Amino acid sequence: MAESNLSLRLVLFGPPGAGKGTQGQLLKDQLSIPQITSGDLFRFHLRNETELGKRAGEFMRQGLLVPDEVTIDIVMDKVLELAPEEGFLLDGFPRTLNQAEALDAALSERSRGLDSVVFINVPDDELIRRLSGRYTCRECQAPHGASEEGEAPKKCSSCGGELYQREDDRAEAIAKRLEVYKEETLPLLGFYEQRRILADVPGLGSVEEVNGRVLEALGAGRG
Ligand code: AMP
């Protein structure tokens, strides 16, 4: 799909709970590209109680999207900080048609556009199960699932940090996030399909299985 693994420009696309964050953490090392995660950018501002964090927090707690006029600037600033030839992995952005068009416009002023949009495809019942049993590391943001018996994990398996349940991973906000995803984000599939850069990857199975499928879809399989 792309000529070089080193400078791929990717979007990880999919509903909340599809595994974008988990796959993104693996891919950024496997492909040596920086990961830009819109939700983490907002959570950083929320923790630091910046004006932006206070504004975004109101939307996030309810499972709503932060308005485009805030989101586009904060994410595009990060993308445009990179050298023009550098690759990147966008996780959680774009989520609206406006955001996708803003990304297209900014990239078309640079050397080239996106190489691939990887859609991690997971059915709703599995998303609800995963999100309601998800614990996030306060330090490195890595997501963790509850045990088969529904017990919360104690510490982050990557860095030993403290785990917590995100406010928007509680039942009401989960339902809202899925509804917002279907209304505002899902239509982007058509947008990227038309550009012939959409890779549809089944997101059920182990982290390693999904990772193998993603690499294969990118033409960067492990042989
Ligand atoms: P996430 O960690 O990707 O589930 O994002 C957490 C929350 O941050 C979302 O529910 C939104 O409120 C906000 N957010 C993250 N990315 C975006 C985006 N591209 N557009 C609007 N809001 C976003």
Side-chain angles (χ1 to χ4, degrees), residues 99-150:
Q99 293 176 14
E101 282 167 351
L103 176 64
D104 246 22
L107 292 181
S108 72
E109 291 195 2
R110 301 194 128 200
S111 49
R112 62 190 169 87
L114 290 172
D115 293 302
S116 189
V117 174
V118 178
F119 172 41
I120 307 184
N121 196 345
V122 175
D124 276 9
D125 51 351
E126 173 67 8
L127 295 172
I128 293 167
R129 193 189 68 76
R130 286 186 190 177
L131 289 170
S132 49
R134 181 164 81 170
Y135 296 83
T136 303
C137 176
R138 279 197 201 283
E139 305 300 323
C140 74
Q141 315 300 320
H144 295 67
S147 71
E148 294 275 310
E149 296 77 36

Side-chain angles (χ1 to χ4, degrees), residues 38 42-43 60 64-66 71 92-93 95 99 166 177:
S38 50
F42 286 131
R43 280 184 288 279
M60 294 169 76
L64 299 172
L65 293 184
V66 178
T71 306
F93 181 97
R95 258 154 137 131
Q99 293 176 14
R166 277 169 44 177
R177 285 161 73 201

Side-chain angles (χ1 to χ4, degrees), residues 14-17 20-21 37-43 56-68 70-72 75 91-96 99 131 134 166 168-169 173 177 180 184-185:
K20 302 187 294 296
T37 305
S38 50
D40 286 352
L41 292 175
F42 286 131
R43 280 184 288 279
E58 287 173 35
F59 296 94
M60 294 169 76
R61 276 186 281 277
Q62 297 175 65
L64 299 172
L65 293 184
V66 178
D68 282 342
V70 179
T71 306
I72 290 173
V75 179
D91 163 4
F93 181 97
R95 258 154 137 131
T96 65
Q99 293 176 14
L131 289 170
R134 181 164 81 170
R166 277 169 44 177
D168 59 351
D169 280 345
R177 285 161 73 201
V180 168
E184 304 199 40
T185 307

Side-chain angles (χ1 to χ4, degrees), residues 9-76:
R9 296 166 170 213
L10 305 178
V11 166
L12 272 184
F13 185 89
K20 302 187 294 296
T22 305
Q23 293 301 328
Q25 297 232 351
L26 293 173
L27 289 168
K28 76 174 169 40
D29 293 334
Q30 291 164 331
L31 303 172
S32 307
I33 46 178
Q35 180 183 16
I36 299 173
T37 305
S38 50
D40 286 352
L41 292 175
F42 286 131
R43 280 184 288 279
F44 172 84
H45 282 276
L46 205 59
R47 266 198 314 280
N48 290 288
E49 298 180 2
T50 66
E51 275 312 308
L52 177 84
K54 284 180 201 152
R55 178 142 186 238
E58 287 173 35
F59 296 94
M60 294 169 76
R61 276 186 281 277
Q62 297 175 65
L64 299 172
L65 293 184
V66 178
D68 282 342
E69 68 265 21
V70 179
T71 306
I72 290 173
D73 282 350
I74 153 169
V75 179
M76 290 316 301

